[in-house]
Amino acid sequence: MPQTRLRHFLLLLFTVALMLPVLALLGAWWPAGAAEAQALDILRAMAATVLPDYLATTLWLCALVTAGVIVLGLSTAAAVTLFDFPGRRVFEWALLLPLAVPAYVVAYAYTDFLQYSGPLQTGLRAATGWEGRVFPEIRNTAGAAWVMSFTLYPYVYLLARAALAERASHLMEAARLLGAPLTRRIREVALPLARPAVAAGVALALMETLADFGVASYFGIQTFTAGIYKAWLAMDNRIAAAQLATLLLGFVALLLWLEHRSRARLRFVSARLGRAAGAEAQPVRLRGWQRAAAWAVCLLPILMGFVAPVLFMLRPLVGESTELPWERFWGWAGHSVRLGLLASVLAVGLALLLAYALRRLPDALTRAVVWLASLGYAVPGAVVVVGLLLPVGWVQARWPQAGPAYWVTATSLGLIWAYLVRFVAVALQSVQSGYARIPANLDDSARLLGSGGWGLLRRVHWPLLRRPVMAATLLVFVDVMKELPATLVLRPFDSDTLAVVAYQLARDERLGEAALPALALVLVGLIPVLLLSRTLRSKGS
C-alpha cells in the first residue's frame, strides 16, 4: 500500500508538471479584480483589430494545406499501391524524404532561389531583357501553403498507403472480375476505403501547420502562432498572448479529436475487412503514357519537397561569394546535440517509467496520466512557451526575491521542461508499441521465478525493449534538434542551436550563411526517415 501511494503521488506530480502550460493558459482567462477588466478590454480590442485577420489567415492556410496534402499524399499512395511500374519500389521509400526537411528550411531555400536577386530571376532577366519581377512573390499565404504541402504530405501518404495496401487490393480485384473499369474501381472502391486514413493524415498535417512558427514568421503572414509571439515579445502583453494561445489550443484539440475518430474508424474498417480478406491481389501493370503519368505523380513531390530545397541550399556552400561560419558552426551543433541528448534521455526514461507503471498498475489514474502524456506532441511549441512563462511571471510579481525566472529563462531547465511536455508523447508511443509485443504471461512467469518490481523491468522487459527504446531516443533527439519556437524563446544566452541560428540568419536575409545549419538539420532528419523506409521495405518484402 505505501508503494502504491508513492506511485500515485509521483504520477500526480508528473501530471501537474505536464499540464501546467495548459492550466496556466486557462487561468489567464479568469483573472480577478482590475486584471479581469483589462483582460476583457484586450479581448475586445483583439476581436476588433487583429483577431479576424489571424483567424482568416490561419483558416485559409489550413484549407490550402488540406487540399495540397490530400492531392499529393493520396495520389502518390494510390500510385505505388494500386499500380505496378518500373521504379515503384524506389518511390515507396523515396516519397518519405520530405519528412527529413523542416518546413522553415524549405521556405529559406525557395526564397533564396526565387527572390528578385536569386539565380532564377537573374538568369531570366538576363535572357529576356525584362527588368521587372519574372517570378511571383513566394512570401505570402499561398507560398506558405506550397511549402507546407510538399513537406507534410507524407503524413497522408503513409496512412493512405497502409490503408490501400491492406484493404483495397482484394476488393479492387473483385470489382475487376465483376466488370468494373479501372476508373470506377478507384473512385468507388479504393478512395472510400482510404477516407479515414486520409482524414487522420490531414489532421496530423494541420497540427503541424498550426504549430508552425518558422514559415509564418519568415513569410510575414499573420497566423495565430506568429500573433502569439508578437503579442508576447513585441507588445509585451502576456494576457493577449495567453488568450491567442488558448484559441490555438482549441483548434488543436478539435484536430486531435478528428484524428482519434478517424483512427477508430480505420481500425474498425481494418478489422471488418480483415476477416474477409483473401490473398493479396496484384497491382495493375501500367504501360505507355500511364507509366509516364505515374512517374510524374511520384517525382513531383520528391523534387519539390526534398531534392530542390537541398540543391538550393548546397549552392552557397560550393560558391565562393559567401563566407561560411565554420568555426561557429561547431558551437551551434554542440549546443543542439547536448540539448537533444539530454532531452531524449529524460523523455525516454519518463516514457519507460510510465509504460511500466501502466503495465503493473493499470488503474484509472495511471491511464489518465499516460493519456495526458500522449497528447503533449499535439500542443504547439508557442503554447508551451506561453504556458510556462505565465506562472513564472505571476510568481516573480508576488515574490520578487524568488528566482524562478532565472532558472526557467537563464538556464536550460525551462527549455528541457518544454521539450518534455512536447516530446514525452513521441517516446511513449514507441515504448508502448514495444510493450504490446511482450505477452502478459511472461510477467507472471518472471514473478513465480522471483523477479518482481524493478527487477522485472531490468531483467525481463529491458532486453525486449532495447530496440523500441533506441528508436524512441532517436526520434526525440531529431525532434529536439528541429524544434524552433520553444528554443527561440527559452534558450539560455549564448547557447544558440542550429534551428535558431538558421532562422536568425534567414530573417536577416543572410541566406547563404543559413544554408550550413539548415543542411545539418536535414542531414539529422534523414536518419529516422531512412530507418522508417527500411522498416516499410522489410514489411513489404
Side-chain angles (χ1 to χ4, degrees):
M1 184 66 68
Q3 291 183 352
T4 303
R5 291 178 180 175
L6 177 61
R7 187 181 295 114
H8 283 164
F9 173 76
L10 293 176
L11 289 174
L12 285 174
L13 186 65
F14 180 80
T15 305
V16 171
L18 191 68
M19 292 299 295
L20 182 62
V22 176
L23 296 175
L25 290 177
L26 296 177
W29 284 82
W30 289 281
E36 181 178 3
Q38 181 187 4
L40 292 176
D41 291 340
I42 291 172
L43 188 59
R44 293 192 193 100
M46 287 195 302
T49 54
V50 298
L51 194 56
D53 191 19
Y54 291 159
L55 183 61
T57 304
T58 301
L59 291 178
W60 179 234
L61 178 62
C62 288
L64 293 176
V65 172
T66 298
V69 296
I70 288 177
V71 171
L72 294 172
L74 188 55
S75 61
T76 52
V80 301
T81 306
L82 304 179
F83 305 105
D84 186 22
F85 53 93
R88 179 171 69 97
R89 295 294 183 185
V90 176
F91 284 127
E92 284 181 350
W93 63 265
L95 285 164
L96 299 173
L97 290 176
L99 278 177
V101 191
Y104 53 84
V105 171
V106 178
Y108 307 156
Y110 275 109
T111 301
D112 183 38
F113 188 74
L114 300 177
Q115 64 184 342
Y116 184 81
S117 58
L120 177 63
Q121 298 208 57
T122 302
L124 290 176
R125 287 197 302 271
T128 61
W130 178 257
E131 294 298 330
R133 173 176 287 275
V134 181
F135 199 85
E137 177 62 53
I138 193 175
R139 294 193 189 186
N140 48 42
T141 306
W146 168 278
V147 167
M148 292 182 184
S149 296
F150 280 107
T151 54
L152 299 178
Y153 81 88
Y155 288 112
V156 176
Y157 164 74
L158 273 173
L159 295 177
R161 175 190 164 188
L164 292 174
E166 294 173 2
R167 304 165 189 85
S169 56
H170 56 282
L171 294 181
M172 288 273 289
E173 180 66 14
R176 185 188 69 82
L177 295 176
L178 291 174
L182 179 60
T183 55
R184 186 179 179 186
R185 298 201 301 268
I186 295 175
R187 184 179 66 252
E188 298 184 9
V189 177
L191 296 184
L193 289 175
R195 194 176 300 153
V198 171
V202 168
L204 293 174
L206 290 183
M207 287 182 201
E208 295 289 341
T209 302
L210 291 175
D212 173 77
F213 171 74
V215 178
S217 175
Y218 184 62
F219 279 7
I221 58 177
Q222 301 302 313
T223 62
F224 269 103
T225 306
I228 291 169
Y229 279 87
K230 185 183 296 183
W232 186 281
L233 299 177
M235 301 170 58
D236 195 22
N237 195 324
R238 298 179 179 181
I239 298 179
Q243 291 171 343
L244 289 173
T246 309
L247 294 175
L248 178 60
L249 190 61
F251 278 115
V252 173
L254 179 63
L255 290 173
L256 195 62
W257 173 80
L258 175 63
E259 193 266 343
H260 282 305
R261 183 181 177 185
S262 301
R263 284 187 180 273
R265 292 176 59 195
L266 191 62
R267 288 192 294 270
F268 173 74
V269 173
S270 176
R272 185 177 63 185
L273 293 179
R275 293 189 293 268
E280 184 179 356
Q282 295 298 319
V284 179
R285 184 173 295 277
L286 299 180
R287 293 180 176 85
W289 68 269
Q290 294 177 336
R291 179 185 299 177
W295 270 77
V297 166
C298 295
L299 274 175
L300 177 65
I302 299 173
L303 292 176
M304 296 293 102
F306 181 78
V307 177
V310 170
L311 292 179
F312 296 160
M313 283 294 181
L314 281 173
R315 184 179 60 86
L317 297 183
V318 299
E320 299 180 356
S321 58
T322 304
E323 183 178 351
L324 298 174
W326 288 102
E327 296 182 359
R328 289 181 293 165
F329 169 78
W330 299 113
W332 304 330
H335 291 144
S336 300
V337 170
R338 282 193 293 272
L339 287 173
L341 289 176
L342 180 59
S344 59
V345 169
L346 291 176
V348 171
L350 289 173
L352 187 60
L353 292 178
L354 284 176
Y356 177 70
L358 183 62
R359 189 176 178 93
R360 289 292 310 277
L361 189 66
D363 54 12
L365 177 61
T366 308
R367 288 196 299 268
V369 172
V370 171
W371 179 76
L372 289 173
S374 65
L375 301 181
Y377 190 70
V379 182
V383 174
V384 175
V385 167
V386 176
L388 286 179
L389 291 182
L390 272 177
V392 170
W394 293 336
V395 172
Q396 198 73 17
R398 286 161 177 76
W399 296 282
Q401 300 302 322
Y406 169 79
W407 292 105
V408 173
T409 60
T411 69
S412 299
L413 176 62
L415 190 54
I416 295 297
W417 192 354
Y419 289 155
L420 293 180
V421 171
R422 288 211 66 200
F423 301 130
V424 164
V426 178
L428 186 60
Q429 183 177 6
S430 181
V431 173
Q432 282 187 303
S433 68
Y435 261 118
R437 300 185 183 96
I438 302 177
N441 56 14
L442 193 63
D443 295 6
D444 299 332
S445 302
R447 292 191 192 98
L448 291 176
L449 294 174
S451 290
W454 296 111
L456 178 65
L457 176 62
R458 185 180 67 256
R459 298 176 183 176
V460 180
H461 293 170
W462 174 249
L464 300 174
L465 290 174
R466 284 179 180 174
R467 293 186 64 182
V469 165
M470 291 181 63
T473 305
L474 177 62
L475 290 174
V476 176
F477 176 79
V478 173
D479 280 336
V480 170
M481 292 278 287
K482 296 192 295 185
E483 169 64 26
L484 178 60
T487 312
L488 188 64
V489 177
L490 295 175
R491 73 192 190 283
F493 293 109
D494 197 26
S495 59
D496 290 332
T497 65
L498 292 172
V500 170
V501 168
Y503 168 77
Q504 291 176 334
L505 292 174
R507 183 190 58 187
D508 296 339
E509 299 300 329
R510 298 159 63 186
L511 291 169
E513 297 178 53
L516 184 59
L519 283 174
L521 292 174
V522 174
L523 186 62
V524 171
L526 275 175
I527 301 173
V529 171
L530 294 177
L531 291 178
L532 176 60
S533 64
R534 180 182 177 184
T535 302
L536 293 176
R537 288 201 304 272
S538 64
K539 288 182 179 180
S541 59

